[in-house]
Amino acid sequence: MTENAGVRHGGVPGSRGRTVIADVVVEKIAGMAARDVRGVYALGSGFARSMGSVRERMPGAGSGKSVTRGVSVEVGELQAAIDLEIVVDYGISITDVAGAVRENVISAVERLAGREVVEVNIMVGDVKLPDELDEEEERQRIQ
């Protein structure tokens, strides 16, 4: 009688194989985390936002705002570096907003993607003034 002890594999199941996370996944996580911070009006430069609003109105071009607008990442097997361009609401400390964005993005990417974030570079490209029209209000006025 032969004893069948089953197939034996070395190591725990989590170590069998490789997990690859696409750059766009980290871009989306970082974009969502940055938008969650109080004082962030939008992501991306004025030009990127205006091109995005044009793209959103085109039939078949996808729905909603692009989560990755204003977000650029480099993702390796263990680490990630993130560049963000943000627009801050007027009257809120830019340094406080940038610090909160950095903390939120690092926390989200490390928790959800399992990559060590080595840097989050933030470029504040604009300030949203209270009397400026929102992109949505401007679109409705133009139509």
Side-chain angles (χ1 to χ4, degrees):
M1 176 177 231
T2 34
E3 184 177 332
N4 186 354
V7 179
R8 289 192 169 262
H9 297 283
V12 294
S15 66
R16 296 182 206 156
R18 224 175 80 160
T19 302
V20 177
I21 298 176
D23 289 5
V24 70
V25 173
V26 176
E27 285 175 350
K28 287 181 178 184
I29 293 168
M32 291 300 294
R35 282 179 175 78
D36 284 346
V37 174
R38 182 181 164 274
V40 174
Y41 172 74
L43 268 67
S45 66
F47 179 73
R49 289 193 324 270
S50 63
M51 291 309 295
S53 67
V54 168
R55 206 174 22 253
E56 289 167 14
R57 285 183 259 154
M58 295 174 62
S63 61
K65 295 180 180 178
S66 173
V67 178
T68 61
R69 184 182 312 145
V71 182
S72 175
V73 302
E74 292 180 34
V75 182
E77 286 188 33
L78 301 174
Q79 298 178 325
I82 301 164
D83 294 326
L84 299 168
E85 185 171 358
I86 66 173
V87 178
V88 176
D89 286 320
Y90 177 80
I92 299 177
S93 167
I94 292 172
T95 56
D96 289 350
V97 170
V101 166
R102 194 170 279 112
E103 286 179 28
N104 212 35
V105 168
I106 290 170
S107 174
V109 170
E110 289 184 348
R111 183 172 39 86
L112 298 173
R115 299 298 184 262
E116 176 193 8
V117 178
V118 293
E119 64 182 8
V120 176
N121 300 309
I122 299 172
M123 203 284 264
V124 179
D126 202 355
V127 173
K128 166 65 169 76
L129 300 175
D131 59 346
E132 289 179 333
L133 291 175
D134 285 346
E135 292 174 11
E136 185 64 33
E137 291 172 352
E138 192 170 333
R139 257 189 275 160
Q140 289 173 356
R141 192 185 68 151
I142 293 173
Q143 293 176 358

